[in-house]
Amino acid sequence: LTSARKAAVVYRPVDAAHFQQVAADTLQMLHLSSADLQVDAREVDDQLGYRWIALADADLSSLVAAVHLIGANFQEAGFGEGLLAALFPFRDSHAGKVYLVYHYKHGVFYPFAPRGETKERDTSREFHLQAILKQALPWEKDLERWYPLWDAPV
């Protein structure tokens, strides 16, 4: 696996002035920290009404730091419940693009492996990724919580 040099955080936007300010401040912090992290950040709304902060950077550790900054800002402001997931795409020389998904509510990871351009999952590839990485990361044990994140902006 090699990093696709992207990541994203998806959250449920709230129609409140304080929430809008926290989201704007978070994006501004990412832009201001771009000298240190070298992360490019942009907001994207999806068809289901969720908002994504899409990130791009050549360094995976900078992407992880940026995702952590986003999560910490939302949680400190009392909007942690609105955080849904962080998504880290990787290129797999055998199976194309695969993702590691961090589920904020449960504090665990799970794999997501779409099959080509269809809305089908490669579950055998997902189980293979879990087997390889289960010692390194906390995993979601309930397979029903391995939600697919189709059409993510990464």
Side-chain angles (χ1 to χ4, degrees):
L1 296 177
T2 57
S3 171
R5 301 177 178 185
K6 297 177 182 181
V9 173
V10 60
Y11 61 93
R12 187 179 319 106
V14 176
D15 194 23
H18 179 61
F19 177 83
Q20 300 299 328
Q21 188 62 51
V22 169
D25 289 348
T26 300
L27 204 58
Q28 183 178 16
M29 285 177 63
L30 288 167
H31 289 293
L32 291 173
S33 67
S34 66
D36 295 328
L37 296 177
Q38 299 178 355
V39 172
D40 178 42
R42 63 186 173 90
E43 284 186 311
V44 179
D45 291 331
D46 69 18
Q47 299 171 349
L48 300 174
Y50 296 105
R51 183 161 297 145
W52 296 77
I53 298 177
L55 307 164
D57 191 302
D59 183 43
L60 181 60
S61 63
S62 292
L63 290 170
V64 171
V67 166
H68 178 72
L69 183 140
I70 294 166
N73 279 0
F74 277 68
Q75 290 171 347
E76 287 174 16
F79 296 109
E81 286 294 314
L83 290 168
L84 302 175
L87 186 66
F88 297 91
F90 292 87
R91 289 185 195 95
D92 181 336
S93 59
H94 302 292
K97 196 178 269 190
V98 296
Y99 301 88
L100 282 180
V101 181
Y102 179 74
H103 192 283
Y104 277 102
K105 191 174 209 174
H106 299 281
V108 292
F109 288 87
Y110 64 89
F112 171 49
R115 182 173 282 149
E117 297 299 317
T118 66
K119 296 262 181 171
E120 295 178 19
R121 296 171 75 167
D122 186 345
T123 54
S124 64
R125 184 69 186 135
E126 291 175 356
F127 289 131
H128 182 72
L129 286 170
Q130 179 195 30
I132 292 170
L133 298 171
K134 71 180 177 182
Q135 300 302 321
L137 299 169
W139 277 120
E140 175 58 69
K141 292 177 177 63
D142 184 353
L143 300 181
E144 291 186 18
R145 291 186 184 153
W146 287 18
Y147 305 115
L149 296 174
W150 303 112
D151 304 321
V154 289

